[in-house]
Structures are given as C-alpha cells and as structure tokens.
Amino acid sequence: TCAKCERKLDEVGGAMKVLCKKQGCGPGDVVMERVFEMAGGRRPDDKFVRPKSSAGASTRVTKRKRPGDAAGGGGAEDSGASRSTRSAPPDDKAAGAGSGPPPKKKQKKEKKRKKKPSNEPRRSVLRVPVRELPRECHLNQDYDPSTPADFAKVFCPGRAPVERAGPPPAPDGPEKFQKLIPLPVDGHFHKCCVCDDDLTADDCHYCSVSCRGFHARCLEGGDDATVEGWECTRSRVGDRTVSDEEDIATGANDDAVRESFGRYADRPAFASATSVLGDVKSILDRLVRYEYGWVFAHPVDVSVITDYGALVTRPMDYATVAGMIDRGAYDPARYKFSSLDDLEKIVLQALVDVEQVFQNCFVYNTRGCQFYRAGEVQERKWTAYYDRHIGDRLTEGVRSALAHFRGACRAERAEKAQIRVVRVSKTSNTAVGVTVVDPTTMSLVKQYLSKASAIQALQHLSKAGYECEVDVAESGAAKFRLDAADGSGTTLFGYLWIRTNKLHSGKFVVAKAKE
C-alpha cells in the first residue's frame, strides 16, 4: 500500500474505534455506513457521482427506546433499526471528525505558527567571556570535540569553511566582554582557627584571601576585621615565613633515609641527596601539623568522592610521599630525565610529588572554595620551608626541571579558572551538535555534542547573571531561542549558536552590522 492509502485506513480505523465504543460491540458487529467513501474507494455500482453536501439538510436519528418508556412504537422494530441509525454519520466530514489526527498539511501549519518568533525586543549586549562558556562533562571529562584545525577555520555563509589566511586575529580587549561573574562558592571553614569553636552569624570575621575565620575575641593584635578586604596576620605573614618554633631539625632523618637508599651509597652526591630527602620528610611532618594539613595528610577516599579519579589522574598526599622516602621506593629508572643522574631524579620526583598534592587540590576544587584556599595556605607554607631549607641545596638541573613543572601547573590552573560545567550522561554519537561562533571573526569558540547540553549552557549563563539579548532562563524559553537563532544570524550572549552540520555546509546567514 502507498502512504496515502495508509493514511485513509488509519482514518477509517479511528472512526471504527469510536463507533465500537458508542455501540458497545466489537469490530465484527459494528454497523458503519459510507466505509467505501471514507476509504477513498467506490462501490461496484458507483457512477463516480460526488455526494452532495448536506449542510442544509437534517438527518433523522431514531432513538432506541428503553423498557418502561411511554407507549408507542414497537420494541422489536426499534431495536432492530437502532443499531444502524443511532450513530450513523450524516456525511463524510462528520464521520472523520474527531476520529484521528488532523491532516499533515494542517499539522505543518500549526507547527509553523508555534515557531513564529515573538515580538519581544532584542537587547544589544556584550559577549560573555569565552572561558565562561560551560563545559559539557561526563565524570569530569570534557566532551568538546574541537581540534586546533577547527579553530583555524573561518566559517562563511553559503559555502564550506576555509582555512584562515595569516595569523589568527588578536583577541578583543576586555571592553568587548561582559564583566566576569565569579562562581558562588563558600570560601571559609566556619570554625575559629584559634579556639576551634563554631562561628556564629553575630560573631564571625573572615579573612578575604584564606579560608580562616575568627571570633572577635580571638583576633590577633593589630588585626582590624572591619576593613573591607581584610587579610589576617596569619595569611599575610604566618603562611609566608617559618618561625623558630615551626622550624625543622635539619638532618634529623638523614640516617634513616641513607639506609633506605643504601644501594646508591657509592655515588658522589649520596650524602647531599639523602640529606635533602630527610629534610623533605621533616617538612611534611610539620605541614601535617600546620593549619588544614589534615586535608592533605592521607589519600582521598574515592568511595566517598566518586568522581575524584576521573579528573585527578595522579593522586598524591603527604603520607604517600613520606612512605616512599622511608621505603626507598623512588626508582630513577621509571623517570625520563636524560640530563640528570639517578640521585637527582630521586630528589626531583620527591619534590614533584609534594607539588602534585597542591596541584590536585587546585584541579579538582573550584577556585575560591574552602578546600582550594586550604591548598593555597599549605602551598605558601611549603614554599617558605622550601626557600629556607631546600632550594639552595639543589643542583641546577633539578631546580630547572622543578621550575618547568611548576610553570605547567600554573598554566593548567589558569585554564581551569572560572569554568562552569554542564554535567550530562554519556552523549550518543547521533546527537545533534551545536557550535558557538564569534560573529566578528567567524571562528569557532566552543562546541557542544548535543542540543540538550547547549540549552543547559544557555540556562547556566542566564542564571549566573550574564545578560542575554532575550530571556533564556527557563528550559522551554532556551530551547525556543536556540531553535530561532539556529542559522538565522541572531546572537545569544553575543555569539552565534548554529548546528554543527549547518555550519560546515554553509546553510546559515549572518546579520548585517548596524551602522
């Protein structure tokens, strides 16, 4: 059968279902007139005469009388005729009315009316900073499929993308973007760091650069917590210096470390290297006892923080580093530093592991939250110990390699700063992708593998407080606006949001700049 016949049969089936319900019988007993006309066919004796309209005529329907009604009219005759007369439609239109979905042409017109843009005026807004466009993540793994080759393309209406000629355009100045809105985070532990009692709403003073809080009675001399942006003395001085009470006993662990690494006793630098490792272990003991050292003293419990392993590829903590020094477990053969000898590799790896503790904290936690700030407190204290006892005793090769690792860590932190996340289930390969394009350079700035993620990203930006040309706070509004902006040249948060397949085929337009 063809598609037209299938539609006709569907209409007949819908009408029959209604009549079965009205007549209280099955399909085999239902009485239904004009079946051939409804199905678009004809009887054998049909002479192709179109039935006349019965708009002005009235159809007489004989109503079946119930037992006990007024006398008049035979019951047998009425019951026999009632089945054929009580529900017979007056004409073709009546038979089809309400018996199924409207024709497809009517459905298309209704859909077009629904998608008609509203008359709400569009505001002119600045663009959102690129790094604020939310990531599309599953278990903290970014799904963005963009490659360097994608960022080097220029997308043009009506044709396929082309390679950019010459160097990429210089990034726009800060005046081209909206003001950065920080993520809402709790940056403090709500216990006094002096007496360890809980802080209350009417008796609490928080440091602006660390996670510390104080009671008014516990403030140290010279601290004026009423000043805006107040930084406590411990953050300003204590974290960056080592007092005599906090200092370590240099060389206290030398004998134990030399025994652990005795296989390298014949090396010329054995004594100096093991002395550095012994002092590193002593510093770790001090860091554990310093403020918030408990956060980094032992491995993270991944059974509680289930997504930790998805983002942190190399977990590390103070106890693990100290244990490897105690056991002599650092093996230079595992590390590829061709310019360093074995003992230099061992010292470097111990120092890198300590730095890795802080880096994992900064990678996993949101910038500005209490655990991120606790990592900053511990890192500042470690740096103070390092400058006082370790730095001058290292060889040039170890210092250079450690500086390179620290630079890579800082770059990773800067890249992660202020990143909002859309958490999704694993995206299928058949999802409709959406690409975010800078309308001034016509280059890609972000890709989403699914339309649902792009809708969530629009909602995230709106709820964060960024200004959009139209309202996209609700899910339905965001979906409607995204569909309306797809390839039409209109912008959302200052960018073009276009389906990836449309973008690469050139099936989109760009709105003309207003003069």
Side-chain angles (χ1 to χ4, degrees):
T1 58
C2 65
K4 182 177 180 181
C5 294
E6 290 180 356
R7 289 198 299 272
K8 287 290 185 181
L9 290 175
D10 287 342
E11 292 177 9
V12 173
M16 183 176 289
K17 185 176 180 181
V18 173
L19 292 178
C20 286
K21 189 174 181 179
K22 288 183 178 180
Q23 298 175 14
C25 60
D29 299 327
V30 69
V31 175
M32 184 174 178
E33 298 184 358
R34 295 188 176 89
V35 177
F36 286 96
E37 291 86 338
M38 290 178 62
R42 63 186 179 88
R43 301 176 188 273
D45 56 347
D46 191 356
K47 297 182 180 179
F48 299 95
V49 178
R50 186 179 296 276
K52 296 182 179 179
S53 173
S54 57
S58 62
T59 303
R60 182 177 180 181
V61 179
T62 305
K63 189 174 183 181
R64 182 177 180 180
K65 292 185 179 181
R66 299 177 182 176
D69 285 348
E77 183 179 352
D78 288 343
S79 64
S82 62
R83 178 172 289 184
S84 62
T85 58
R86 65 180 175 180
S87 58
D91 53 16
D92 295 351
K93 293 182 179 179
S99 62
K104 283 197 170 182
K105 289 184 178 179
K106 190 174 182 180
Q107 290 180 0
K108 289 181 180 179
K109 289 181 180 179
E110 289 178 356
K111 287 182 180 179
K112 287 182 180 179
R113 284 198 294 269
K114 288 180 181 178
K115 289 188 176 181
K116 185 177 180 179
S118 65
N119 294 326
E120 179 185 352
R122 295 179 62 87
R123 299 183 294 272
S124 177
V125 302
L126 298 176
R127 279 172 284 162
V128 169
V130 175
R131 65 179 182 176
E132 286 293 274
L133 294 173
R135 295 189 305 172
E136 178 185 18
C137 289
H138 174 66
L139 295 178
N140 284 320
Q141 295 181 354
D142 197 342
Y143 272 3
D144 193 334
S146 306
T147 63
D150 294 329
F151 287 101
K153 293 178 181 177
V154 176
F155 299 93
C156 308
R159 57 193 176 101
V162 297
E163 295 293 330
R164 182 186 293 110
D172 292 323
E175 69 279 358
K176 297 291 185 180
F177 297 97
Q178 297 184 36
K179 185 178 179 181
L180 194 70
I181 300 176
L183 292 169
V185 294
D186 185 359
H188 301 90
F189 291 102
H190 301 286
K191 283 184 175 291
C192 178
C193 64
V194 176
C195 64
D196 202 36
D197 290 339
D198 291 338
L199 296 172
T200 59
D202 56 348
D203 187 14
C204 59
H205 298 282
Y206 294 111
C207 176
S208 62
V209 299
S210 73
C211 53
R212 294 183 176 95
F214 301 86
H215 291 118
R217 65 179 183 273
C218 298
L219 287 172
E220 300 172 353
D223 279 348
D224 184 6
T226 61
V227 177
E228 186 178 358
W230 166 70
E231 181 180 0
C232 67
T233 302
R234 296 191 179 197
S235 299
R236 190 173 60 255
V237 179
D239 295 346
R240 294 172 169 82
T241 59
V242 178
S243 65
D244 293 339
E245 295 80 9
E246 297 171 334
D247 208 357
I248 64 171
T250 304
N253 295 315
D254 287 2
D255 293 340
V257 175
R258 285 169 185 167
E259 184 178 352
S260 301
F261 291 93
R263 59 188 181 277
Y264 302 105
D266 58 337
R267 305 296 176 88
F270 177 72
S272 61
T274 52
S275 178
V276 170
L277 292 173
D279 286 351
V280 169
K281 186 175 181 299
S282 298
I283 293 172
L284 293 177
D285 293 338
R286 286 287 185 177
L287 289 177
V288 170
R289 287 180 281 173
Y290 193 64
E291 290 177 275
Y292 314 114
W294 55 270
V295 177
F296 311 99
H298 301 286
V300 173
D301 188 354
V302 294
S303 64
V304 177
I305 306 177
T306 55
D307 61 344
Y308 187 78
L311 187 59
V312 176
T313 57
R314 192 167 172 268
M316 191 56 60
D317 59 278
Y318 295 158
T320 299
V321 179
M324 293 185 71
I325 293 175
D326 284 339
R327 299 191 308 272
Y330 284 109
D331 182 7
R334 294 170 52 193
Y335 313 113
K336 298 179 180 180
F337 297 99
S338 57
S339 61
L340 304 178
D341 62 29
D342 289 347
L343 287 172
E344 287 178 321
K345 293 178 183 179
I346 291 173
V347 171
L348 175 61
Q349 282 306 307
L351 297 174
V352 164
D353 283 350
V354 177
E355 300 280 347
Q356 188 71 52
V357 174
F358 311 127
Q359 182 64 10
N360 292 345
C361 172
F362 301 140
V363 167
Y364 181 78
N365 294 289
T366 303
R367 179 184 289 271
C369 76
Q370 61 266 62
F371 289 102
Y372 192 102
R373 288 185 164 189
E376 291 178 325
V377 169
Q378 286 278 304
E379 185 186 40
R380 288 194 292 265
K381 198 65 178 179
W382 157 254
T383 303
Y385 277 113
Y386 173 88
D387 293 340
R388 183 162 184 168
H389 293 288
I390 305 297
D392 294 339
R393 298 158 62 187
L394 302 177
T395 63
E396 185 61 33
V398 174
R399 278 199 298 268
S400 177
L402 184 61
H404 179 76
F405 177 78
R406 287 175 170 174
C409 290
R410 286 193 295 270
E412 186 177 6
R413 293 180 209 176
E415 183 180 352
K416 178 185 177 293
Q418 286 297 128
I419 292 180
R420 302 173 193 274
V421 176
V422 173
R423 301 193 183 277
V424 295
S425 59
K426 192 170 180 59
T427 308
S428 65
N429 294 330
T430 58
V432 177
V434 176
T435 302
V436 185
V437 178
D438 186 333
T440 58
T441 62
M442 292 309 297
S443 58
L444 175 152
V445 295
K446 179 70 182 171
Q447 286 193 76
Y448 293 101
L449 285 184
S450 69
K451 180 180 175 182
S453 295
I455 292 172
Q456 289 187 57
L458 291 173
Q459 291 179 266
H460 271 284
L461 293 172
S462 178
K463 292 177 181 178
Y466 287 106
E467 189 178 5
C468 186
E469 293 84 345
V470 288
D471 179 30
V472 293
E474 299 299 329
S475 177
K479 181 179 183 301
F480 177 82
R481 298 301 180 186
L482 184 63
D483 289 339
D486 181 25
S488 65
T490 56
T491 59
L492 299 173
F493 295 102
Y495 297 99
L496 299 172
W497 298 66
I498 308 173
R499 291 189 185 182
T500 304
N501 55 355
K502 275 189 178 182
L503 183 68
H504 285 271
S505 62
K507 296 180 179 179
F508 65 95
V509 297
V510 179
K512 295 182 179 179
K514 295 181 180 180
E515 297 180 356

